[in-house]
Amino acid sequence: MPGSNFFSSWDFTSDPCTFSGVFCDSDKVIALNLGDPTAASPGLTGRINPAIGNLSALAEFTAVPGRIYGALPHSLANLNNLRFVGISRNFISGEIPSGLGDLPNLRTIDFSYNQLTGTIPQSIGTLPELTNILLCHNRLSGSIPRFKSKTLTRFDLKHNALSGSINPNSLPSSLQYLSLSSNQLSGPMDQLLNRLDQLNYLDLSMNQFTGPIPVRLFSFPLTSLQLQRNRFTGPVQPKDRVSIPTIDLSYNRLSGEISPMLGTVQNLYLNSNRFTGRVPSSLVNQLLESSIQILYLQHNYLTGIEISPTAVIPEKISLCLHYNCMVPPVDTPCPFNAGNHTTRPIAQCNG
């Protein structure tokens, strides 16, 4: 692209192994890292030539963010030694070549932030050594196939148009990062999630998932749990104190009383559910001690909270109690979408 001089060293009267971004072993090209990776550098533009499939020893193929467009060449399936392919934040369109599923050494696929369409090929799920698959921010549709790799750790399909339910055995227990947010996925997730006890990041937000949230999930080594804007139902009753820093369960259909075991969560979003009863004193104490930074409880059916009207809420703490079956004993600023009504109508609170 204008402003880039990346190809200035590509003098075809000399040895191509001396070109910028070209790495060789003997006389074979083993890696192509195209473009200047330094921040804010202009990327590349143009199509990927199908002749790339002739680089029989190629193990790594990457391109920096830019304006590469057109379809991924099917000749990529000829690269039997390919281990890493990464062409993110460009304008790649068309479908993912199913032949990529025939590359036994492929470990990382990163086509994130492009314009890919069609379905995820079933063959990709059969790759035995797959470790990372990043297809987020595309226009992929259809269901999620089964992935058999026992080394898969990062699985990022957020911001697509994927639909249907997910088979409880379709993802391996080796996963550490799972993001499926902003799709049209549905069905229960409890059986699948119960198996994924290595997770340290989980985002299923903005889908149509149903059923209960498994209790075991709250004991996983998660740093963030994002389940907001789904259709999860039932109670939330962790067995032990929860050490996950951020939990967002807002905009679901969860019910029952709020568990005191959630008092150790720093940022807790329980708003827009069907929770009842009184707010546990453990949450109030942690809030007043600034251990809880955010506590959003608005738009539920809560009937009380043990906090003095003269209590001083620390300045950096966000607490919202609007639109419950009680008059909030303390006046705290709420987010704009909490509305102007501080209390739920009595007719909605009887029974």
Side-chain angles (χ1 to χ4, degrees), residues 175-242:
L175 277 183
Q176 297 177 16
Y177 181 106
L178 175 59
S179 181
L180 301 175
S181 70
S182 299
N183 279 284
Q184 298 157 26
L185 298 162
S186 59
M189 288 290 284
D190 52 320
Q191 290 186 48
L192 172 62
L193 292 176
N194 267 322
R195 294 177 44 251
L196 305 182
D197 57 2
Q198 302 300 308
L199 284 175
N200 56 49
Y201 181 91
L202 176 62
D203 187 354
L204 305 180
S205 62
M206 290 183 277
N207 280 286
Q208 299 164 26
F209 291 122
T210 56
I213 297 173
V215 169
R216 192 161 176 258
L217 185 63
F218 295 97
S219 65
F220 291 176
L222 290 161
T223 57
S224 181
L225 175 59
Q226 307 284 332
L227 302 181
Q228 68 269 27
R229 296 185 184 274
N230 279 285
R231 299 175 184 174
F232 289 115
T233 55
V236 178
Q237 293 294 330
K239 291 184 178 180
D240 299 298
R241 289 183 180 273
V242 179

Side-chain angles (χ1 to χ4, degrees), residues 21 33 52 74 83 90 93 97 100 105 125 145 157 172 195 201 246 252 260 327 330 335-336 340 342 348:
N33 303 135
I52 191 171
H74 287 275
R83 292 197 302 267
N90 277 278
S93 58
L100 289 177
N105 298 306
L157 304 183
R195 294 177 44 251
Y201 181 91
T246 297
N252 278 287
V327 176
V330 288
F336 177 77
N340 297 321
T342 58
Q348 296 182 14

Side-chain angles (χ1 to χ4, degrees), residues 206-207 209 227-232 248-254 269-275 296 298-300 335-339:
M206 290 183 277
N207 280 286
F209 291 122
L227 302 181
Q228 68 269 27
R229 296 185 184 274
N230 279 285
R231 299 175 184 174
F232 289 115
D248 193 341
L249 307 181
S250 62
Y251 294 93
N252 278 287
R253 300 172 182 179
L254 301 167
Y269 303 83
L270 300 178
N271 51 293
S272 302
N273 277 287
R274 299 171 181 175
F275 288 114
Y296 280 179
Q298 67 270 22
H299 287 259
N300 278 288
F336 177 77
N337 61 6

Side-chain angles (χ1 to χ4, degrees), residues 92-103:
I92 301 292
S93 58
E95 299 191 355
I96 300 171
S98 60
L100 289 177
D102 298 326
L103 304 180

